[in-house]
Amino acid sequence: DAGITQSPRHKVTETGTPVTLRCHQTENHRYMYWYRQDPGHGLRLIHYSYGVKDTDKGEVSDGYSVSRSKTEDFLLTLESATSSQTSVYFCATDDNRSSYNSPLHFGNGTRLTVT
Amino acid sequence: KNEVEQSPQNLTAQEGEFITINCSYSVGISALHWLQQHPGGGIVSLFMLSSGKKKHGRLIATINIQEKHSSLHITASHPRDSAVYICAVRLQGAQKLVFGQGTRLTINP
């Protein structure tokens, strides 16, 4: 869907280790988002980007950082993973034509388990 | 109270039935999205609405801006329609999206 690739698809890591998830898009979309999906909570925004080097926090940003050094890639880093960060992470993008009312495109998700 | 509420949370129906999923919101919005997520699968955008009604195949989405309410209808439902359907609203003047909790739909043959 819209050429969005998330990697890795699955990751198991230990508490306290840093983890980086990658979202790569081939559609030149300006806006990129990281969400986490947990039972009972739906999708919650972690961070988003509105251009290269332009990022902002979402509602659950504590313990996460992001970087966007080029249009195609949006990286999500868990600085020191905790068990509460066990979740499914989705990347999403908006196309460029009209940022306020653009369809959303999602990656296939990354299932992260922190033991 | 969540800004976006979906009902029902779970819905089980027989193949062929007409399905309605509702989404109510309490904030000013610029657009509303309906998304579909199959078990273990990714999330697909079905519709984006800012007014009126849209139709794609057996799926119809409507929105009433004054009443802050949207519905997703599925006609002649089929087991392959079984999925979680998610409503999301884009807040007016903002890039943020707020998501509903989703409606889990199961269509039995």
Side-chain angles (χ1 to χ4, degrees), chain B residues 52-69:
Chain B
K53 175 180 174 179
K54 287 191 177 179
K55 183 176 190 290
H56 182 67
R58 295 180 295 105
L59 272 59
I60 303 164
T62 64
I63 188 168
N64 185 318
I65 297 293
Q66 286 73 32
E67 294 186 4
K68 292 185 164 59
H69 181 268

Side-chain angles (χ1 to χ4, degrees), chain B residues 7 11 21 27 33 51 74 79 87 105:
Chain B
S7 63
L11 178 58
I21 298 170
V27 293
H33 297 261
S51 63
I74 305 175
C87 168
L105 174 66

Side-chain angles (χ1 to χ4, degrees), chain B:
Chain B
K1 189 179 188 302
N2 291 335
E3 291 169 304
V4 180
E5 296 276 357
Q6 286 186 236
S7 63
Q9 289 190 340
N10 293 282
L11 178 58
T12 300
Q14 291 300 119
E15 183 173 356
E17 287 189 36
F18 181 82
I19 302 298
T20 295
I21 298 170
N22 297 298
C23 176
S24 296
Y25 52 92
S26 56
V27 293
I29 69 168
S30 61
L32 182 144
H33 297 261
W34 281 104
L35 310 168
Q36 179 192 57
Q37 185 176 27
H38 281 105
I43 301 170
V44 175
S45 179
L46 297 175
F47 294 104
M48 183 186 62
L49 296 160
S50 53
S51 63
K53 175 180 174 179
K54 287 191 177 179
K55 183 176 190 290
H56 182 67
R58 295 180 295 105
L59 272 59
I60 303 164
T62 64
I63 188 168
N64 185 318
I65 297 293
Q66 286 73 32
E67 294 186 4
K68 292 185 164 59
H69 181 268
S70 175
S71 293
L72 177 68
H73 305 286
I74 305 175
T75 62
S77 60
H78 190 276
R80 65 175 174 265
D81 297 325
S82 297
V84 175
Y85 292 85
I86 303 167
C87 168
V89 299
R90 190 178 298 280
L91 303 182
Q92 253 175 356
Q95 194 57 31
K96 269 185 61 173
L97 284 163
V98 179
F99 290 83
Q101 301 275 26
T103 295
R104 185 174 300 277
L105 174 66
T106 303
I107 303 295
N108 293 319

